[in-house]
Amino acid sequence: CIMKIAMIGHKRIPSREGGIEIVVEELSTRLVIMGHTVFVYNRAGKNVSDRNADKEAHKLKTYKGIRLGKIPTPNNKKLNAIVYSFLATIHAVTHNFDVIHYHAEGPCAMLVIPHFLGIRTIATIHGLDWQRAKWGGFATKFLKFGEKIAAKYADEVIVLSRNVQQYFLEQYGRTTIYIPNGVNPIEFKEPCIIVDKYGLEKEKYILFLARLVPEKGVHYLLEAFSKLDTDYKLVIAGGASHSGEYVDRIKEQAQKDSRVILTGFVQGDELVELFSNAYMYVLPSDVEGMPISLLEALSYGRRCLASDIPENREAAKEYSMYFKKSDVDDLALKLRSALDEPDKFKNKQEIMDYCHKRFDWNKVTGASLRLYIDTILNVERIKKV
């Protein structure tokens, strides 16, 4: 059963701007290798996050066999997702796709259009986006609307955590399919770029890597780290996403401590070196869907310290340390303990084995593909009856 599949909801690929972009790229790449046609709707336009994207990516018409479409989008963050998902959907419903796969709650608002035209739809809820601190009143209402549309009209809803699965069951009586994110086989690199660029030493720095948005909690980490008497450095790696004022606040905090290094957006060999040589990875988030950066840190066998929200605990289980969400004093206490007692963590190989066995992009793709096929076959059976 060779299919024609559309992907709507991310910003653009190739890109590491966020978890959704990584998921869409990993899934689409493997579907193409399996012989399916995949058309991915990228956002065009001068968005804030464009500064963090690969500039050459905007010129591509295909990428690893994936067909790329560009949808013009306004710079206004309130209208960006609405305009993008509407225009992408209008194009998709006129091009005979077997399945349209929507990603994230906002874009799912447009899923109702292909549904009423009899086109099969899949929705992946990457997290409860309306909980995120960067959104205002209108955006929050739109995200909740998209969530309701997905719950009511999507042929299948994929969730990334058991917590969100339970939420959909309790809130909407909707049964969802649990398919977690994955990781790729990793390659370790000795410090080279990060030595020349930032003066970092192997296993002498703590790493935070994520978008600089309030819900990722980097402000807690900076405050907690300032309480520590240590010669370890703190590396904050990540770009902005509709969060200019927050980034300014982070820069102001960082300037007060010479041990803190802000790298901005990183990718390629620099990213690999940062993961390969960090003493510890910290994710102090208040809200997550399924944290790919935490999975990646585990895939490198890194010591991890994360906030104790259900999504982080579900991902890392006993292979990470945890602190009380939003509690700066507890975070500082756990940081000190992690630096003083490295034996509190499981050994590197155990962490890697756990991660690579449980999180596999090939398994993710296989599960998603079975869902596409079952959805289409079910419709065909109904028509025959």
Side-chain angles (χ1 to χ4, degrees), residues 61-78:
K61 293 183 179 179
T62 62
Y63 172 69
K64 294 183 178 179
I66 305 163
R67 300 179 186 182
L68 305 178
K70 293 180 190 173
I71 300 298
T73 53
N75 193 33
N76 186 311
K77 68 180 182 181
K78 292 180 180 178

Side-chain angles (χ1 to χ4, degrees), residues 268-289:
D269 287 347
E270 183 176 334
L271 174 66
V272 173
E273 285 189 21
L274 284 172
F275 270 131
S276 297
N277 300 287
Y279 173 82
M280 177 172 61
Y281 176 80
V282 181
L283 183 63
S285 45
D286 286 332
V287 180
E288 286 291 346

Side-chain angles (χ1 to χ4, degrees), residues 22-23 26-27 30 34 160 178-186 290 292 295-296 299 315 352-370:
I22 294 170
V23 171
E26 296 290 349
L27 185 58
R30 285 166 174 78
M34 296 164 78
L160 307 182
Y178 171 69
I179 304 177
N181 287 329
V183 293
N184 285 312
I186 54 98
M290 183 172 219
I292 288 181
L295 300 188
E296 289 178 327
S299 76
M352 291 175 66
D353 289 346
Y354 158 76
C355 186
H356 287 284
K357 184 176 180 181
R358 187 172 176 213
F359 304 104
D360 183 331
W361 283 121
N362 291 327
K363 291 180 182 177
V364 171
T365 305
S368 301
L369 182 58
R370 286 192 294 274

Side-chain angles (χ1 to χ4, degrees), residues 18 73 99 122 138 150 165 185 205 224-225 227 257 278 323 329 342 374:
T73 53
V99 176
I122 304 288
F138 172 76
Q165 189 172 43
Y205 62 91
F225 185 74
K227 299 174 182 289
D257 193 331
F323 72 95
D329 289 335
D374 289 348

Side-chain angles (χ1 to χ4, degrees), residues 363-383:
K363 291 180 182 177
V364 171
T365 305
S368 301
L369 182 58
R370 286 192 294 274
L371 212 54
Y372 298 160
I373 294 170
D374 289 348
T375 299
I376 292 169
L377 290 180
N378 183 52
V379 171
E380 289 179 352
R381 290 192 193 106
I382 290 170
K383 286 178 179 177

Side-chain angles (χ1 to χ4, degrees), residues 337-354:
S337 175
L339 291 173
D340 290 344
E341 302 173 78
D343 291 342
K344 279 192 169 185
F345 296 91
K346 291 188 179 293
N347 71 54
K348 176 179 172 180
Q349 194 60 51
E350 274 188 281
I351 296 170
M352 291 175 66
D353 289 346
Y354 158 76

Side-chain angles (χ1 to χ4, degrees), residues 161 163-164 287-291 294 309-316:
S161 71
N163 191 46
V164 173
V287 180
E288 286 291 346
M290 183 172 219
L294 180 58
I309 60 176
E311 291 80 3
N312 287 344
R313 282 191 174 276
E314 183 185 324

